[in-house]
């Protein structure tokens, strides 16, 4: 627990975990203020979970959520109102504590001398120099000069960001590169399906971010507030400014739990779980093991989502356990999909349908989860079947695995980089921005029509690195991305349907058919997922080793 005192009455800290609330109480705090919106991180408990636990200890809790890096004047007013209401001393928290320190600084600017604010926050470990510039500039952050400048700035320290940094370093070791990411833990998210199926332990999917940032690459542990591409500038938490020659944008996407009414309040309780959150994947396995009979719902929201097969992977592994333990006959399984097909690439559907029949799954197409009543164990779906009037249906459950709706992060959707739907607007082959020629994007946040998977990012990173090098050398783009994506569908413990495809659903197998036929369940594909892919991820992809991912040269079309 890292508590940083700003004054005798106000302290700030990074994200609070449920077990440390007892320490917060012991430290004498009478209230907490949460400045972090729900759903911002994959390992983040909801405010409702924090509030319930805090109130049991006699600690008041207030919620003043602020978009990552984007502290507005109205946020400062709401923070001030919360400070007046809650008893002191109070502990304010967000992802890293920077947002809370920024809110306090801007709130206190009306009554404290600026040097005193800077001294207090500096003593607590937060540099508010950028806030001082904002105050001095009438509430706006000037970007003509920055706090730091790099050849390449990468926004996002996930799979795409670190792989791109490593690939760039291998091509040009003397490049000055910075990765901007506020998280101190990096997750191998494809492993969470296996955690929910009792195959991996959650700890196997997490490593310290600092241990993965390539040597020589600067890690800026901060959130992005805004982009100013005309000034080649990125504005960070605390109103700091980083400038660049070239920018790579790959912060992943946002899990929008709050869109489903009642979901946040019941996650991790009442039989409601999700493998899309690090701390809940073990709860999935706990529920599966404890299920003896009743109804199990597995939901899938409208596209796009990351790893489109993940909702049904959870279903297959759960059903397989019930099948092997003789319980399946007493469990009613429903796959509630907002879409109209089981899987988007038709070649893989026959094999999947065999397992749907084996597990006696009821396919509920065009069913979009809109509300959950956890204590009543009732889920509400909006059903929009073609040619019919929309209607709502309620379904009772004993266990429900939820895949949350997903969007681009807020700071992306409101930026000049986004298309009308909120995704970073790129050329689907070169991954270069359509408007700003010194900006590239990859991973889940960009708008190319490919599957949002780690395997896709593994192919995209070398493409972006190759094209950035071409741009540095004054050449035209040299590499193209063909839309490759992979989805290892865990249809049972020990077998996988290895779906691999490119743009347009064209099959793109990595192995000869005699070795792995991706359209059929395979034990060798399971071995690949279980034993091979995690070390390939940690020790090849993130290290810039482009095994089976070497960039494909741009095809020159002969005009003749």
């Amino acid at each position: 627990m890292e508590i940083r005192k700003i004054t005798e009455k106000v302290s700030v800290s990074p994200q609070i975990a449920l077990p440390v609330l007892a320490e917060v109480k012991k430290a004498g705090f009478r209230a907490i203020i949460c400045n972090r919106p729900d759903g911002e991180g994959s390992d983040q408990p909801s405010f409702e979970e924090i509030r319930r636990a805090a109130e049991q200890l006699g600690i008041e809790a207030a919620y003043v959520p602020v978009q990552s890096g984007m502290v507005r004047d109205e946020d400062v007013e709401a923070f001030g109102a919360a400070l007046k209401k809650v008893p002191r001393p109070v502990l304010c928290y967000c992802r890293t504590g920077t947002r809370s320190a920024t809110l306090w600084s801007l709130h206190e600017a009306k009554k404290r001398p600026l040097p005193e604010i800077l001294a207090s926050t500096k003593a607590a470990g937060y540099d508010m120099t950028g806030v001082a510039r904002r105050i001095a500039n009438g509430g706006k952050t000037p970007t003509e000069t920055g706090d730091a400048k790099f050849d390449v700035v990468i926004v996002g320290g996930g799979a795409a960001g670190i792989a791109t940094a490593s690939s760039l370093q291998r091509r040009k070791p003397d490049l000055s590169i910075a990765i901007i990411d506020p998280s101190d833990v990096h997750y191998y998210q494809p492993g969470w399906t296996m955690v929910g199926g009792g195959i991996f332990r959650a700890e196997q999917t997490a490593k310290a971010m600092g241990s993965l940032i390539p040597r020589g690459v600067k890690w800026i542990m901060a959130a992005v507030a805004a982009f100013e591409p005309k000034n080649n500038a990125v504005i960070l938490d605390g109103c700091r400014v980083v400038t660049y020659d070239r920018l790579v944008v790959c912060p992943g996407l946002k899990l929008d739990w709050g869109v489903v009414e009642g979901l946040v309040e019941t996650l991790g309780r009442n039989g409601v779980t999700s493998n899309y959150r690090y701390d809940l994947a073990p709860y999935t396995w706990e529920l599966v093991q404890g299920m003896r009979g009743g109804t199990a719902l597995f939901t899938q929201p409208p596209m796009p989502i990351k790893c489109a097969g993940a909702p049904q992977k959870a279903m297959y592994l759960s059903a397989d356990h019930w099948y092997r333990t003789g319980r399946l006959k007493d469990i009613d399984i429903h796959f509630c999909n907002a879409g109209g097909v089981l899987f988007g690439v038709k070649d893989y559907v026959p094999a999947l349908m065999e397992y749907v029949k084996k597990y006696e799954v009821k396919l509920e197409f065009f069913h979009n989860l809109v509300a959950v009543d956890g204590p009543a164990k009732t889920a509400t779906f909006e059903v929009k079947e073609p040619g019919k009037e929309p209607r709502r249906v309620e379904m009772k459950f004993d266990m429900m695995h939820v895949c949350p709706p997903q969007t681009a992060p807020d700071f992306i959707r409101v930026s000049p980089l986004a298309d009308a739907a909120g995704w970073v607007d790129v050329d689907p082959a070169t991954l270069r921005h359509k408007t700003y020629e010194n900006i590239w994007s990859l991973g889940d946040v960009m708008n190319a029509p490919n599957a949002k998977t780690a395997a896709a990012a593994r192919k995209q990173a070398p493409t972006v690195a190759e094209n950035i090098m071409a741009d540095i050398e004054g050449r035209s783009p040299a590499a193209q991305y063909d839309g490759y994506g992979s989805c290892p569908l865990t249809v049972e413990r020990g077998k996988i349907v290895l779906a691999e495809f490119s743009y347009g659903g064209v099959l793109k197998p990595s192995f000869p058919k005699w070795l792995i036929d991706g359209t059929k369940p395979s034990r060798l594909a399971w071995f690949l997922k279980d034993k091979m892919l995690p070390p390939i991820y940690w020790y090849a992809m993130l290290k810039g080793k482009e095994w089976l991912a070497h960039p494909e040269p741009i095809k020159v079309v002969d005009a003749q």
Side-chain angles (χ1 to χ4, degrees):
M1 181 64 192
E2 189 179 357
I3 297 174
R4 302 180 182 185
K5 182 187 289 186
I6 294 180
T7 70
E8 289 301 318
K9 293 183 178 180
V10 179
S11 297
V12 300
S13 82
Q15 173 70 55
I16 293 174
L18 291 170
V20 305
L21 281 168
E23 295 179 41
V24 173
K25 174 72 173 179
K26 190 176 180 181
F29 289 99
R30 299 174 62 197
I32 56 175
I33 299 177
C34 172
N35 299 130
R36 189 180 187 190
D38 283 335
E40 198 176 71
S42 300
D43 56 348
Q44 172 190 353
S46 69
F47 171 70
E48 183 62 24
E49 292 173 87
I50 293 286
R51 183 194 63 76
R52 282 196 304 264
E55 288 185 352
Q56 288 176 0
L57 294 168
I59 301 172
E60 281 194 34
Y63 188 43
V64 185
V66 177
Q67 287 183 21
S68 182
M70 198 173 294
V71 178
R72 304 166 301 168
D73 291 343
E74 48 265 50
D75 296 323
V76 177
E77 290 178 13
F79 180 74
L83 277 178
K84 285 182 181 179
K85 286 183 180 179
V86 300
R88 311 290 180 90
V90 58
L91 177 65
C92 311
Y93 75 90
C94 55
R95 188 198 296 259
T96 64
T98 302
R99 255 170 290 182
S100 298
T102 301
L103 285 163
W104 179 86
S105 300
L106 291 171
H107 174 260
E108 294 294 311
K110 300 172 185 176
K111 54 187 176 182
R112 287 180 192 258
L114 196 52
E116 183 181 326
I117 292 172
L118 293 176
S120 297
T121 51
K122 185 176 182 180
Y126 297 98
D127 179 4
M128 293 289 112
T129 305
V131 173
R133 282 203 305 270
R134 171 173 163 176
I135 294 168
N137 198 48
K140 295 181 180 179
T141 301
T143 56
E144 290 76 12
T145 58
D147 297 284
K149 167 88 166 46
F150 298 90
D151 295 331
V152 180
V153 168
I154 299 172
V155 175
I162 293 179
T164 301
S166 295
S167 288
L168 281 169
Q169 264 199 338
R170 283 181 170 265
R171 286 165 171 79
K172 189 172 172 58
D174 62 344
L175 271 180
S176 67
I177 304 171
I179 291 177
I180 302 173
D181 195 297
S183 301
D184 58 356
V185 179
H186 179 105
Y187 296 102
Y188 175 57
Q189 295 184 30
W192 292 348
T193 290
M194 304 291 262
V195 174
I199 294 107
F200 289 176
R201 300 187 317 277
E203 313 87 74
Q204 292 175 266
T205 68
K207 289 185 186 289
M209 181 73 82
S211 69
L212 300 172
I213 302 291
R215 184 171 296 179
V217 171
K218 173 71 174 177
W219 174 27
I220 300 174
M221 192 177 177
V224 170
F227 299 95
E228 290 202 3
K230 291 182 179 178
N231 292 329
N232 294 331
V234 179
I235 303 174
L236 309 181
D237 258 345
C239 308
R240 292 169 292 162
V241 176
V242 174
T243 58
Y244 56 83
D245 289 330
R246 291 164 184 85
L247 176 68
V248 179
V249 182
C250 49
L253 44 67
K254 173 184 176 181
L255 303 181
D256 210 352
W257 304 98
V259 169
V260 180
E261 181 185 344
L263 178 57
V264 170
E265 292 79 6
T266 196
L267 271 174
R269 307 164 65 231
N270 302 312
V272 181
T273 187
S274 179
N275 289 345
Y276 276 78
R277 221 173 82 178
Y278 172 76
D279 62 325
L280 291 182
Y283 183 51
T284 301
W285 180 232
E286 179 185 325
L287 291 173
V288 170
Q289 289 179 294
M291 188 92 164
R292 294 292 186 273
T295 299
L297 306 182
F298 295 83
T299 75
Q300 179 171 308
M303 294 295 173
I305 62 173
K306 58 181 172 181
C307 193
Q312 58 185 294
K313 292 181 195 181
M315 176 182 72
Y316 296 135
L317 285 178
S318 301
D320 180 64
H321 177 77
W322 298 325
Y323 176 83
R324 291 169 186 265
T325 55
R327 305 179 205 166
L328 187 61
K329 64 183 184 302
D330 299 315
I331 298 174
D332 190 24
I333 303 173
H334 295 255
F335 184 53
C336 303
N337 185 352
V341 295
L342 184 60
F343 194 71
V345 182
K346 60 181 178 57
D347 300 76
Y348 301 105
V349 172
L352 299 178
M353 282 302 301
E354 288 300 313
Y355 282 91
V356 167
K357 293 173 185 174
K358 175 182 177 180
Y359 301 136
E360 299 181 0
V361 175
K362 296 176 178 63
L363 298 179
E364 312 282 5
F365 291 127
F366 307 109
H367 279 54
N368 184 31
L369 181 68
V370 293
V372 181
D373 184 335
K377 297 215 169 170
T378 303
T380 302
F381 296 88
E382 186 172 54
V383 183
K384 291 184 176 179
E385 295 175 289
K388 296 183 180 179
E389 285 294 314
R391 68 185 194 278
R392 291 201 169 195
V393 298
E394 290 187 350
M395 298 177 69
K396 292 286 187 179
F397 63 84
D398 296 281
M399 168 191 167
M400 180 164 66
H401 179 276
V402 177
C403 173
Q406 296 164 40
T407 66
D410 297 328
F411 72 94
I412 294 291
R413 289 190 291 111
V414 300
S415 77
L417 309 183
D419 65 8
W423 305 96
V424 180
D425 195 17
V426 300
D427 177 270
T430 65
L431 305 182
R432 192 179 207 168
H433 198 274
K434 289 180 180 177
T435 303
Y436 304 102
E437 292 191 346
N438 64 338
I439 297 178
W440 289 259
S441 183
L442 70 157
D444 296 344
V445 79
M446 53 86 170
N447 66 353
N450 62 285
K452 297 182 184 296
T453 67
R458 187 170 66 86
K459 288 273 194 173
Q460 293 161 6
T463 300
V464 169
E466 193 78 3
N467 286 337
I468 287 177
M469 290 308 306
D471 189 58
I472 289 172
E473 294 165 6
R475 297 183 285 114
S476 298
Q480 66 178 6
Y481 168 60
D482 62 5
Y484 175 85
S486 175
C487 187
L489 292 147
T490 49
V491 289
E492 65 175 279
R493 194 182 186 109
K495 284 188 179 180
I496 275 176
V497 171
L498 183 59
E500 295 182 282
F501 43 88
S502 57
Y503 286 139
V506 177
L507 300 197
K508 191 80 174 179
S510 299
F511 305 96
K513 199 168 184 177
W514 60 264
L515 186 62
I516 297 179
D517 181 352
T519 64
K520 297 177 181 177
S522 162
R523 293 194 181 278
L524 190 55
W526 177 273
F527 177 79
L528 181 72
K529 168 79 172 175
D530 184 20
K531 303 298 183 186
M532 297 290 292
L533 289 184
I536 287 172
Y537 179 87
W538 296 117
Y539 305 114
M541 177 179 173
L542 298 189
K543 302 295 184 185
K545 297 174 182 176
E546 297 163 9
W547 179 67
L548 291 180
H550 194 72
E552 182 179 325
I554 285 183
K555 294 181 175 67
V556 178
V557 179
D558 190 344
Q560 298 293 323

